[in-house]
Amino acid sequence: MKLGLIAGNGRFPFLVLDAARALGHDVTVVAVKDEASPELEAHAAKTPTAAVHWVPLGHLGKCITTLTDAGITQAVMAGQVKHTKIFSVVPDLTMLSVFRRLRSRNTDAVIKAVVDVMREHGLELLDSTAFLAPLLARGGVITQRPPTAVEGADLAFGYRMADAIASLDIGQTVCVKDLAVVAVEAMEGTDDAILRAGRLARGAFSVIKVAKPNQDMRFDVPVVGVATIEVMKAAGATALSVDAGKTLLVDGEAVVRAADAVGIAMVGRP
């Protein structure tokens, strides 16, 4: 089966590429220029090879023709593109048609409109975690250390706030200290929100990262990796909650080991 991979930044595209090739898929990669890792090309050259095409952000028409010319009818989006790029993107005519459909330019609205245009050109977008089910967070306490009573109270308090901002498509992460919201994620992304919380809290705090109430698993799936743990350590965060079955641990058990090594408690909300 032929499969298209639309790659943004991070390790997510590497994981999907490896899993798809292991299952015998003939993969064609459309890598978003200045977002996807330059190392992706060398990785794709490994046997079995996968063709890589670099496409500037906003050139949706070229992305679609690259995939359809390769005989592809199904594709996966993997990796993020900084939402702030929407202010500087130079769209082609196909992307302009997407913008004309929008009533707002939040993440879901933009990507859903892109998906609609892709479908009109015969491209079906698959669940982005379809090849990586073993890397989805499990429920319950994930690390050796469970949250303390104080951390548990902050996590429980933060769920309502995080669910609210996620439902509004503002962000998917909140940081809480002593039953007060210290930072709310927006366009800056999870890491910057955590670092901002560290500057404000000046001590231990908890991080709550949630899926959207009606999370579309084809795109914008919550992702946590070793880098997230490193940012939390630098900021002084001591506990992390993610949504079980909806959050991708891109480094697998290495994320858990990293959290254990620095004493961070991690749980999966059922």
Side-chain angles (χ1 to χ4, degrees):
M1 172 185 169
K2 293 184 176 182
L3 181 74
L5 171 59
I6 303 169
N9 59 44
R11 292 194 60 241
F12 195 175
F14 291 80
L15 297 173
V16 173
L17 175 57
D18 286 346
R21 289 193 294 195
L23 291 171
H25 294 282
D26 179 7
V27 183
T28 296
V29 181
V30 172
V32 180
K33 191 175 180 180
D34 299 324
E35 288 289 335
S37 169
E39 297 172 3
L40 185 60
E41 194 153 6
H43 195 77
K46 296 177 181 179
T47 304
T49 60
V52 178
H53 304 266
W54 292 90
V55 176
L57 182 64
H59 288 212
L60 180 58
K62 184 176 181 181
C63 171
I64 290 172
T65 56
T66 297
L67 295 175
T68 55
D69 286 352
I72 289 167
T73 59
Q74 293 184 320
V76 173
M77 281 187 181
Q80 298 176 326
V81 172
K82 296 180 182 67
H83 194 181
T84 51
K85 291 288 185 72
I86 198 168
F87 299 124
S88 58
V89 64
V90 180
D92 63 6
L93 291 176
T94 307
M95 194 66 190
L96 280 174
S97 73
V98 168
F99 287 157
R100 283 195 291 267
R101 299 175 184 217
L102 300 177
R103 293 186 178 181
S104 67
R105 292 196 179 186
N106 56 18
T107 303
D108 271 5
V110 173
I111 300 180
K112 284 180 178 177
V114 167
V115 171
D116 287 343
V117 171
M118 290 175 65
R119 186 185 299 113
E120 291 167 7
H121 287 80
L123 288 168
E124 176 191 1
L125 201 65
L126 304 179
D127 179 340
S128 62
T129 65
F131 300 98
L132 303 175
L135 296 181
L136 290 172
R138 61 184 182 271
V141 177
I142 298 173
T143 48
Q144 294 176 359
R145 180 178 81 80
T148 65
V150 170
E151 291 167 342
D154 280 346
L155 294 178
F157 173 81
Y159 289 138
R160 180 166 60 90
M161 314 303 176
D163 287 339
I165 67 162
S167 68
L168 296 170
D169 198 20
I170 294 172
Q172 293 172 276
T173 302
V174 298
C175 301
V176 175
K177 180 182 177 70
D178 297 337
L179 305 182
V181 175
V182 181
V184 174
E185 177 196 12
M187 281 191 178
E188 78 275 35
T190 300
D191 289 356
D192 284 349
I194 293 172
L195 292 172
R196 178 158 46 88
R199 293 192 295 270
L200 295 170
R202 297 183 180 181
F205 64 94
S206 296
V207 178
I208 299 95
K209 189 175 183 70
V210 301
K212 295 168 186 174
N214 297 305
Q215 180 71 51
D216 191 328
M217 298 299 285
R218 295 176 298 174
F219 53 81
D220 204 28
V221 174
V223 172
V224 169
V226 170
T228 310
I229 302 300
E230 292 172 347
V231 169
M232 288 181 62
K233 178 187 175 184
T238 59
L240 169 66
S241 175
V242 296
D243 280 3
K246 298 282 187 178
T247 305
L248 193 67
L249 304 184
V250 291
D251 297 306
E253 287 300 311
V255 180
V256 182
R257 292 194 296 271
D260 283 334
V262 295
I264 290 175
M266 184 175 174
V267 298
R269 179 174 68 157

